[in-house]
Every structure is written in structure tokens, then in C-alpha cells.
Amino acid sequence: MEYYIMDSNIDKASRFLGDFAKLNRLNPDQCTRPSILLSEEIEYLKPYIRIENTRFNNAIRVEIVVNPEIDVYEAEIPSMILQTFVENVFVHVFPGNVKEPSLRLSFKRFSKDVLKCRIEDIGVRFSETSHSKLHTIPMA
């Protein structure tokens, strides 16, 4: 956000601040419930992803696809489970040298009680020499 302010990009700074405020409002509610509606999780992930994507100059193409057979206002999932996986994608998969990085979240129903979320990325693959600017993974 500092970059946007220093660059006098008021629209992007306002959007970033709005997303940050939305996450701060949603987070306490979602953290205290064991499960939430899929619609709530998606609405939480959208501003989170926009904030993370800001670090990459919004270069990461993001797609969220929900199979039409899923009622996002009835389907429940464990709260805060997807955010951790999405965070790992942004922390470990998208260094600056990746061409056309993308993140795709898709939801499909296998049966009445089974919902599948698939998180796909186009970025770097994990290797023993991979290093993140935010996390260090000790290798034995």
C-alpha cells in the first residue's frame, strides 16, 4: 500500500485498504466457528488473494470456479482451511521470474457429503534448493 500512496495511485491504495479492512472484519467471525458456508470462505479468499497479489504487482491470474451443482449458500466447509493453502502458494510458488503465474481454485461435488476443492498453480515446483523470501525450510 505504501507504494501506491507514494506513487499517488489513490484508487489502488483505497482498494488495498478496503480489502485489508474487510479481512479484519471477517477474520474474528470465521476463526471462532468450526465450519462456514462455502460462500463465506470464497468471500474471505477474494480480498486475501487481492492483497497477496499486490506484492506481485497483480501479475498472478486468479480464477475461482464453482461447479453449478454446488449451492455455495448451503455447502459447509471447515473454517480457515483454504486460506492456509492459498497462502502457501503465494509464499512458495511465485518468485519474480515465473512467466504467466496463475492460481486456480475449483470446487466440485463428488457426492451429497463430499466436496472437492482443487488448488492449482502455475509457478515454480518445490525442490530441495527452493528458498522463500518469507519462510526458510531447513533441509536435513
Side-chain angles (χ1 to χ4, degrees), residues 21-58:
K22 184 173 186 173
L23 286 177
N24 281 329
R25 285 190 306 273
L26 292 174
N27 201 39
D29 180 51
Q30 291 198 358
C31 288
T32 58
R33 295 172 21 204
S35 65
I36 59 172
L37 296 174
L38 181 56
S39 62
E40 294 173 307
E41 182 72 356
I42 291 170
E43 284 308 306
Y44 180 84
L45 287 173
K46 287 178 180 179
Y48 178 80
I49 289 170
R50 282 192 300 266
I51 287 172
E52 286 290 338
N53 205 357
T54 300
R55 293 189 303 115
F56 299 91
N57 212 14
N58 298 310

Side-chain angles (χ1 to χ4, degrees), residues 106-117:
S106 60
F107 299 90
K108 180 180 181 180
R109 183 170 298 286
F110 277 121
S111 68
K112 182 178 182 272
D113 297 324
V114 179
L115 183 68
K116 176 183 177 181
C117 173

Side-chain angles (χ1 to χ4, degrees), residues 11-97:
D11 290 337
K12 287 186 179 180
S14 295
R15 175 132 186 178
F16 183 94
L17 191 56
D19 284 339
F20 186 73
K22 184 173 186 173
L23 286 177
N24 281 329
R25 285 190 306 273
L26 292 174
N27 201 39
D29 180 51
Q30 291 198 358
C31 288
T32 58
R33 295 172 21 204
S35 65
I36 59 172
L37 296 174
L38 181 56
S39 62
E40 294 173 307
E41 182 72 356
I42 291 170
E43 284 308 306
Y44 180 84
L45 287 173
K46 287 178 180 179
Y48 178 80
I49 289 170
R50 282 192 300 266
I51 287 172
E52 286 290 338
N53 205 357
T54 300
R55 293 189 303 115
F56 299 91
N57 212 14
N58 298 310
I60 299 165
R61 186 178 57 84
V62 178
E63 182 180 21
I64 299 176
V65 179
V66 180
N67 189 297
E69 67 190 24
I70 299 171
D71 183 349
V72 296
Y73 299 101
E74 284 190 14
E76 289 190 10
I77 62 171
S79 62
M80 300 298 290
I81 193 166
L82 297 180
Q83 183 272 335
T84 58
F85 290 103
V86 171
E87 176 183 2
N88 278 329
V89 171
F90 279 96
V91 171
H92 299 290
V93 178
F94 296 134
N97 62 346

Side-chain angles (χ1 to χ4, degrees), residues 100-131:
E100 299 182 24
S102 69
L103 170 64
R104 183 174 197 262
L105 283 81
S106 60
F107 299 90
K108 180 180 181 180
R109 183 170 298 286
F110 277 121
S111 68
K112 182 178 182 272
D113 297 324
V114 179
L115 183 68
K116 176 183 177 181
C117 173
R118 185 175 184 148
I119 301 172
E120 302 171 272
D121 63 76
I122 296 179
V124 296
R125 296 292 164 232
F126 179 77
S127 72
E128 288 191 15
T129 60
S130 294
H131 295 288

